Amino acid sequence: MQRTCLGLGVSLYFWGLMDLTTTVLSGSARPLTEGQEDNLSDKLHQRMKRSWVWNQFFVLEEYTGTDPLYVGKLHSDMDRGDGSIKYILSGEGAGIVFTIDDTTGDIHAIQRLDREERSQYTLRAQALDRRTGRPMEPESEFIIKIQDINDNEPKFLDGPYVASVPEMSPVGTSVIQVTATDADDPTYGNSARVVYSILQGQPYFSVDSRTGLIRTALMNMDREAKEYYEVIIQAKDMGGQLGGLAGTTTVNITLSDVNDNPPRFPQKHYQMSVLESAPVSSTVGRVVAKDLDEGINAEMKYSLVDGDGLDVFDINTDPNYQVGIITVRKPLSFESKKSYTLKVEGANPHLEMRFLNLGPFRDTTTVHISVEDVDEPPVFEPSFYFVEVPEDVEIGTTIQIISAKDPDVTNNSIRYSIDRSSDPGRFFYVDITSGALMTARPLDREDISWHNITVLAMELNNPSQVGSVSVTVKVLDVNDNAPEFAQFYEAFVCENAKAGQLIQTVSAIDKDDPQEGQHFYYSLAPEAANNPNFTLRDNQDNTAWILTRRSGFRQHEQNTFYLPILISDNGRPVLSSTGTLTVHVCSCDDDGMVMSCNAETYVLPVSLSRGALIAILACIFVLLVLVLLILSMRRQRKQPYIIDEEENIHENIVRYDDEGGGEQDTEAFDIAAMWNPREAQLVVKNRQDMLPEIESLSRYVPQACVMDNNVHNYVLAKLYEADMDLWAPPFDSLQTYMFEGNGSVAESLSSLQSVTTDSDQSYDYLTDWGPRFKKLAEMYGATDSSGALW
C-alpha cells in the first residue's frame, strides 16, 4: 500500500504556494528542496497566509485485516516534529470511519469500507497550536475515494421471468429479454462487464450473450407435445473470464396455442332415443368432436349436413363445453315415423392460413335417433271448431259432431264430455260416445251471443289421458223480439193548437240484429185508426210524427188522451207491438209555451151508502172463509196414491234384500213402472200427493225421435222441464234392477235350474199358496189334493 502525505506550505497567496508546498500526486508526497526553503524564508518578512495543500486519497474497499487501514498523512510546514502542532479531522465519517493521529497526522480507516454503499468521503483538516489551541493553518477540505474491487455478482432484479411464444414458431423468434445488474463500478476494470449464457433450456432456446435476448432455437415445437419450459440464464461479470462472479435467473416459457389440430369425432356412430311426446326444443342427445387445441382455436361449430330428419331435429353448439346439442324441432309421432338418421358435422370456425395444409379442419359422424312410443291423449281433428246455430234451435238438436281419435297404435275408445267451467250455464251437452254436441237449454242471442266451450276426450282404458278442443258457438239472430218504444213518451198539446201541428216524434228499438239492418213501420193501432184527434206520419227513417187532426182542444172536456201506436219490424216473421203515447192538453200562451196542464177538478155526485159497502165486504169475507175451508178439507183427506177406474189386482214388486212388510206391503213400488211403456202411455195414473207429472216432451222432441230411441234428446228435454218447474215436489226414487243369469259372474241364483236331475223334492206346497202362485205351481208340476194338476 502506498502512503499518501498531505503537507503544509507558507506563502502570501494561496495559489502561489503551490510551487513551494509539498505536492501530493497519485498517492505520493514530495518534500521541499533547499532552494525552495531559502526562498520561503526570504518571504517570511512579508505578509503571509498559511493554507492547506490538498489532493485526493484513495483506499481499497472491503479491507479484511485486523489492524486499522492506513489511508494517508497530514503534515504542516509549521510542524518541527516537537509535538507542538495538533492535527484535528472533521467531516463525513470523522471519528467513526476515519481517525487521525493528532501528533503525526496519520489517517486510518477503522471500519470496513464498501464502495457500493458509499464511494467517497469529504473531510476537513486543521493544524492547531497544542498549547494555545490557536489555528496554525486555515481549515482545508480533502476527499477520500473508495477504490472498487469485484465483490458483487450480477443480479437479475426482475427475475424470475414469465414469457410465452406461439407454438410452431420459426427458429430465432424472440421470446423475452433478461437484464442483469452488477453493483460494481462500471468505469473501473471489468468488474461490471456482464456476459449472458444459458445453463438449462437447450436445444429449445438460446440467449444473446451481450443483450440477454432469448430466442427459439428449435423448429416445430408443439404445445400439445410439451407446453411448459423452464430455462435458466446465467449472467457472469469480468467479461465471463475465469474468476468472475455469476448470477442466475429462471425464465418460465409457455408455448401458446395455435390452430394446428383439426377436430375429430371419437365415435363415428351415435345411437339416441327420444319419446314421441318430447316437446319442441327439448334435448335429444349430445355429440362432441375432440380438438387438441384450446381457447378460440378449439371452438366448434356443429351443423346437420344430411339425413332424413333435417326438418324434425336441430343442433346447437354449447359455447362453454363445445358440444353439439341435438334438439327437437317439430313434434314427433311414433305412429308416423319410428327412427331418423342424421349426419352431423363439427368444424373450427377460426382457421390459420399457414396451417391449412394440416386439415381439413372439420369432421362428420352419423346419429341414429329412435322414437319411442308413449300413451298419448286423444287428438281432435280439426283442432278448433266454429259453429253457428240459430237462437231458436230446439233443445236436443245436434249442432256439431266432435271427433277425436287415439293417436296410439292401440286406438283406444274415446269418451267425450264438456268442461263445465267453460259452460257454467249448461247450455250444451255432448254425447259420451259419438261426440255429438247438442243444445241442452234454449239459446238467446240477446242474452249470450257467443259461447266458448271446451270439449274433453278421454281414453276409455286410460282415463288419465285427456285431450281437449275449443268450440266457439256463435248464436245467430232470429226475429224473436218485437220492436218497442225507445222510451216512455208523453206529449203535450195546446188548447189553441191547430190541425196538422206536430206534437211528438217517436222512435223504436229492437233487441234483434238482422243482417239487413233495422227498419220499423209505424201506424195507429186498429182501434185508433179513425182517431178524430190525432194522426200519425211514418217518416220511413225509423221515426214517426204525431200530428193533431183538429183544433179546439179543451182541458175541461178532456185533459188526457191515450194514443195506441202499432210498431212493426222488417223481420221474418214480422213482429209488432203496441205502444201508448200519453197526450196532455195544456194551456199555452200566444207563442205556444205551456202554462198549465192541470184540469179543473170536477166532483162526481155518485156515491155509495154505508150499508151497501158493508154488504160487499161481508160477501168477500164469506167467500174467503169458504175457500180456506175447502183447502183445509182437501189436505186432511187421505186417498190412495193411484186412482184407477177398476181395482188393480196385480201385486207390487218388492225388494227383499232387507226384511220388509211381506205381501201386505202394497205401497212399496208401482207395478205400472214395469209395464210396457207403449201400453203405459195409454193409461195415465195421477198421484194425489204431488202435482201432475211433467208434460210430455212432444213439444220439444218429435215422436219420430222417440221411436228412434233418441234417449239423449228425451232426457235433456225432460231435465230442462224439471229444472224449470219450481213447484214440482222432490219425489225422486231409485230402482235398481240387477241382472243375473248367463252374463253374470255369479251365474243364475234362481232355484228353477239349480236341480238338473230328477229329485225327490216336492213342490206340492205351492198349491197352498193360492191362485196367485198357480203359474209357478204348474211349472214345478205340483198337484192339488185331488191328484190333478192345478
Side-chain angles (χ1 to χ4, degrees), residues 201 205 339 406 669:
F205 300 96
S339 63
D406 184 6
F669 186 73

Side-chain angles (χ1 to χ4, degrees), residues 262-265 268 287-291 298-305 315 317 322-324 343-349 351 360-365:
R264 291 292 180 264
F265 283 100
K268 288 302 180 182
V287 296
V288 58
K290 299 294 184 179
D291 193 328
E299 288 186 3
M300 205 68 59
K301 176 65 177 179
Y302 295 92
S303 60
L304 301 179
V305 295
I315 188 168
T317 303
Q322 301 302 320
V323 298
K343 188 175 183 180
V344 180
E345 179 185 80
N348 288 143
L351 302 179
F361 285 81
R362 62 185 66 245
D363 195 18
T364 59
T365 187

Side-chain angles (χ1 to χ4, degrees), residues 101 127 171 209 262 328 342 363 365 370 382 476 488 612 660 663 690 696 756:
D101 190 323
V171 175
S209 62
V328 179
L342 301 174
D363 195 18
T365 187
S370 300
L476 301 179
F488 173 75
E663 291 184 0
M690 60 178 288
S696 172
T756 58

Side-chain angles (χ1 to χ4, degrees), residues 225-286:
K226 186 176 181 180
E227 183 176 3
Y228 301 102
Y229 295 86
E230 185 178 75
V231 179
I232 299 178
I233 302 297
Q234 175 183 268
K236 190 173 184 180
D237 59 12
M238 299 298 292
Q241 297 177 4
L242 186 63
L245 303 179
T248 60
T249 188
T250 300
V251 183
N252 295 310
I253 301 176
T254 303
L255 295 184
S256 59
D257 185 61
V258 297
N259 193 7
D260 60 339
N261 292 278
R264 291 292 180 264
F265 283 100
Q267 296 177 233
K268 288 302 180 182
H269 298 279
Y270 287 85
Q271 184 67 40
M272 301 179 183
S273 62
V274 60
L275 298 177
E276 64 172 334
S277 60
V280 175
S281 299
S282 61
T283 300
V284 178
R286 291 173 170 82

Side-chain angles (χ1 to χ4, degrees), residues 161-232:
Y161 295 87
V162 178
S164 65
V165 62
E167 62 174 332
M168 311 299 288
S169 295
V171 175
T173 302
S174 298
V175 180
I176 192 174
Q177 185 176 14
V178 297
T179 302
T181 302
D182 197 321
D184 293 327
D185 188 359
T187 63
Y188 180 77
N190 293 326
S191 299
R193 182 186 171 193
V194 179
V195 175
Y196 299 94
S197 61
I198 184 168
L199 300 182
Q200 178 181 312
Q202 294 176 329
Y204 306 104
F205 300 96
S206 63
V207 63
D208 189 294
S209 62
R210 185 177 59 86
T211 62
L213 179 62
I214 300 175
R215 295 184 174 90
T216 58
L218 187 66
M219 64 183 303
N220 296 333
M221 286 191 293
D222 191 359
R223 184 196 67 85
E224 288 73 33
K226 186 176 181 180
E227 183 176 3
Y228 301 102
Y229 295 86
E230 185 178 75
V231 179
I232 299 178

Side-chain angles (χ1 to χ4, degrees), residues 1-219:
M1 174 86 53
Q2 282 186 326
R3 287 192 166 186
T4 301
C5 178
L6 183 62
L8 297 175
V10 180
S11 175
L12 182 62
Y13 299 101
F14 173 75
W15 297 107
L17 297 177
M18 294 299 293
D19 295 334
L20 303 177
T21 58
T22 301
T23 304
V24 179
L25 297 174
S26 301
S28 63
R30 185 174 61 185
L32 297 175
T33 63
E34 290 183 0
Q36 291 173 339
E37 290 180 355
D38 293 339
N39 293 333
L40 180 60
S41 61
D42 292 339
K43 296 178 180 180
L44 291 176
H45 300 285
Q46 301 178 8
R47 181 181 177 184
M48 294 181 296
K49 180 179 180 182
R50 297 184 180 274
S51 176
W52 291 99
V53 177
W54 63 274
N55 208 328
Q56 294 181 348
F57 290 101
F58 293 90
V59 61
L60 293 176
E61 65 172 336
E62 302 295 342
Y63 172 70
T64 59
T66 58
D67 297 331
L69 177 63
Y70 180 77
V71 177
K73 184 180 180 66
L74 295 179
H75 183 72
S76 174
D77 292 342
M78 303 296 294
D79 188 0
R80 301 299 180 182
D82 55 359
S84 61
I85 299 301
K86 180 181 180 181
Y87 298 97
I88 62 173
L89 189 66
S90 62
E92 297 174 347
I96 299 175
V97 180
F98 302 99
T99 61
I100 188 172
D101 190 323
D102 60 356
T103 301
T104 63
D106 293 332
I107 301 175
H108 292 82
I110 60 176
Q111 288 190 3
R112 185 176 179 179
L113 303 176
D114 188 353
R115 189 200 68 83
E116 287 70 37
E117 293 182 1
R118 192 174 189 131
S119 60
Q120 67 180 23
Y121 295 86
T122 302
L123 299 170
R124 294 181 299 276
Q126 191 173 28
L128 303 176
D129 188 324
R130 189 179 294 275
R131 279 187 311 104
T132 63
R134 181 174 60 85
M136 301 297 294
E137 297 285 348
E139 188 178 56
S140 183
E141 187 177 80
F142 64 96
I143 297 174
I144 299 178
K145 287 192 173 182
I146 311 302
Q147 256 185 341
D148 183 52
I149 63 173
N150 189 19
D151 60 343
N152 291 279
E153 73 279 0
K155 294 182 180 179
F156 293 91
L157 302 180
D158 297 328
Y161 295 87
V162 178
S164 65
V165 62
E167 62 174 332
M168 311 299 288
S169 295
V171 175
T173 302
S174 298
V175 180
I176 192 174
Q177 185 176 14
V178 297
T179 302
T181 302
D182 197 321
D184 293 327
D185 188 359
T187 63
Y188 180 77
N190 293 326
S191 299
R193 182 186 171 193
V194 179
V195 175
Y196 299 94
S197 61
I198 184 168
L199 300 182
Q200 178 181 312
Q202 294 176 329
Y204 306 104
F205 300 96
S206 63
V207 63
D208 189 294
S209 62
R210 185 177 59 86
T211 62
L213 179 62
I214 300 175
R215 295 184 174 90
T216 58
L218 187 66
M219 64 183 303

Side-chain angles (χ1 to χ4, degrees), residues 783-789:
T783 59
D784 56 8
S785 59
S786 62
L789 276 177

